[in-house]
Amino acid sequence: MTPPIPVLLSSSSVYPEATPAAFEVAASLGYDGVEVMVWTDSVSQDPAALRGLSAHYDVPVLAIHAPCLLVTQRVWSPDPWERLRRAAVLAEELGAPTVVVHPPFAWQRDYARAFVEGLGRLGRQHPDVRFAVENMYPLRMGKREFVPYAPHWDPTAVGYDAYTLDLSHCAAAKMDGRDLLAAMGDRMAHLHLGDGTGKATDEHLVPGRGTQPCAEVLTALATLPAGTCQVSLEVNTRKAGSRAQREADLAESLAYARKYLASSPVTTP
């Protein structure tokens, strides 16, 4: 049975290993499910292949991350609406209740202009799927700042039916994750758990190794009604020198998440 707040492993967390490795590692370490990052890896795009991996490792797919990155702009289709539609269909076929979505890039003007209305329309067409819009961050170069997203990099400034809170992105934006969690309120659907130190880059550190209030956010989520949200470990293990080191980092991340999801409220000075 899926726990009240399942802890997922994002397939991006095993990169540069491919999607099948995420299922293998999730099963080995005891994660509750997998978030599939739809990527140039063909397996991540294939419902039959994903269904087979899920059955083989007995690990459900509980979230789909739509192909919103720069390197995935041609996955499935150059049309961003078609990519979101395909992500929703993939989620439905796999029984995943959540599709994670980035705000449009600023240069996708037509897409950005229609994003709020179009996302609402997709939600009505796929009522069993929550499109959870993720917070991003401005890019900083010295004293200059560039915002590559529209209508806004902070989804709460616009207003959507569901949100993904990414704590590493909060660090890059120099925000406190607790503030954004409060702004998201009962529309908070999905947490990308990772950490950061406030650098101008998206670090995705193992939680507890940066400066974001990861423990406090997890403890706050633990008070929510069952089925309200998911936690997905999205950490960068690219520099791990071996599978053993990668698994050690991901085991530490899972233990951290479960510790604070099960704890009483954290108080800070």
Side-chain angles (χ1 to χ4, degrees):
M1 179 179 292
T2 303
I5 298 183
V7 183
L8 320 184
L9 178 63
S10 168
S11 59
S12 66
S13 295
V14 302
Y15 184 84
E17 294 191 72
T19 303
F23 286 87
E24 181 183 356
V25 172
S28 173
L29 298 181
Y31 278 81
D32 300 312
V34 166
E35 175 186 346
V36 173
M37 170 76 79
V38 179
W39 189 250
T40 53
D41 171 11
S42 61
V43 172
S44 72
Q45 307 168 27
D46 186 338
L50 293 170
R51 204 161 31 240
L53 287 166
S54 179
H56 178 75
Y57 289 106
D58 193 25
V59 175
V61 177
L62 295 178
I64 298 295
H65 195 308
C68 304
L69 304 176
L70 277 175
V71 296
T72 57
Q73 294 298 292
R74 296 287 173 174
V75 169
W76 283 335
S77 169
D79 179 0
W81 290 116
E82 176 63 10
R83 293 199 298 274
L84 290 190
R85 187 195 70 80
R86 293 277 297 265
V89 170
L90 181 61
E92 289 170 335
E93 291 183 351
L94 297 172
T98 305
V99 169
V100 177
V101 185
H102 288 186
F105 290 111
W107 52 87
Q108 296 175 304
R109 293 179 182 176
D110 291 342
Y111 177 46
R113 195 160 28 241
F115 188 63
V116 176
E117 180 182 347
L119 208 57
R121 183 171 57 252
L122 273 176
R124 292 189 292 274
Q125 293 169 351
H126 302 277
D128 294 330
V129 175
R130 296 182 81 182
F131 292 88
V133 184
E134 184 172 357
N135 61 295
M136 303 305 290
Y137 53 94
L139 300 179
R140 302 193 310 274
M141 294 167 283
K143 295 183 179 180
R144 300 182 63 186
E145 187 173 279
F146 168 65
V147 179
Y149 302 100
H152 204 284
W153 58 266
D154 175 358
T156 67
V158 180
Y160 299 98
D161 291 337
Y163 299 111
T164 293
L165 172 59
D166 188 302
L167 292 176
S168 177
H169 293 175
C170 284
K174 295 188 177 298
M175 292 187 70
D176 186 312
R178 290 168 294 191
D179 294 336
L180 196 51
L181 176 64
M184 290 178 173
D186 60 5
R187 297 182 185 185
M188 164 68 179
H190 192 80
L191 174 70
H192 275 164
L193 180 57
D195 213 335
T197 61
K199 292 181 179 179
T201 57
D202 187 11
E203 296 174 277
H204 283 292
L205 303 177
V206 169
R209 297 185 186 178
T211 57
Q212 277 294 304
C214 299
E216 290 88 341
V217 169
L218 289 166
T219 302
L221 294 184
T223 66
L224 298 178
T228 300
C229 71
Q230 309 166 317
V231 172
S232 182
L233 268 299
E234 193 178 70
V235 298
N236 187 343
T237 65
R238 296 177 192 180
K239 294 183 179 179
S242 65
R243 165 65 77 86
Q245 182 57 57
R246 174 169 289 116
E247 289 195 359
D249 284 347
L250 296 176
E252 178 183 334
S253 299
L254 176 60
Y256 185 102
R258 289 204 170 130
K259 174 183 177 180
Y260 289 105
L261 284 171
S263 68
S264 57
V266 175
T267 58
T268 55

